[in-house]
Amino acid sequence: MTSDPRPRAAARRPAPVVRAAAPAHRPVLNVVVRGTAMVPVRRLDLELVARRSGLHPDLVRRFVALGLVDADRDAGGRLWFAPDVPAKLARVQRLRAGLPLNYASLGVVLDLLDRIAELEAALRRANAGSRSDESWI
């Protein structure tokens, strides 16, 4: 008697039952904590600012020279920035993309926008005690 490699009809397994898809689960978030202390950053170097803002370090240096962002120099001549500088650089890039102005003239626009923000904050503080609904801000 020869053995037939094909399974017999009775011995075949039934076709799998198709079920509705299970609800999608959220992916597991793996958090890796490195051996560094969780201390607020007081200043950022040029390379880190360039990496966080997505700009070339030479362009960041140019923004410093134009006065669009502030930086401090150490004894070795390296530039150091405040932690909020990447956000300011993003603001400069958005204004540059939205307005047909060069970087030098964007400094005037940034100064005006900062002055408007200061005046609006002062107006809000002055109107904070009043209950009038006539505020236009």
Side-chain angles (χ1 to χ4, degrees):
M1 190 163 144
T2 62
S3 65
D4 187 18
R6 295 177 290 169
R8 295 183 180 178
R12 288 186 186 165
R13 294 184 181 167
V17 177
V18 178
R19 296 182 181 152
H25 295 284
R26 291 185 176 172
V28 177
L29 178 64
N30 293 328
V31 177
V32 178
V33 178
R34 305 202 190 275
T36 59
M38 299 292 287
V39 178
V41 178
R42 296 183 195 267
R43 62 185 192 166
L44 306 174
D45 66 343
L46 175 65
E47 289 77 25
L48 185 58
V49 167
R51 196 172 340 130
R52 285 188 181 178
S53 61
L55 300 174
H56 194 274
D58 290 339
L59 186 58
V60 177
R61 282 189 199 98
R62 183 176 174 198
F63 288 163
V64 172
L66 291 171
L68 297 176
V69 292
D70 296 325
D72 297 324
R73 289 195 185 269
D74 62 3
R78 292 184 52 173
L79 290 174
W80 293 96
F81 299 90
D84 63 340
V85 168
K88 289 180 180 180
L89 290 172
R91 183 181 186 198
V92 169
Q93 290 299 99
R94 283 191 312 269
L95 285 171
R96 173 76 166 107
L99 297 173
L101 300 173
N102 60 18
Y103 287 122
S105 59
L106 280 180
V108 175
V109 173
L110 289 169
D111 290 341
L112 289 173
L113 290 173
D114 290 341
R115 181 66 178 145
I116 290 170
E118 290 172 12
L119 292 172
E120 286 177 343
L123 185 62
R124 281 191 200 98
R125 283 192 303 272
N127 288 339
S130 68
R131 294 185 160 225
S132 94
D133 292 335
E134 300 170 6
S135 175
W136 54 274
I137 295 180

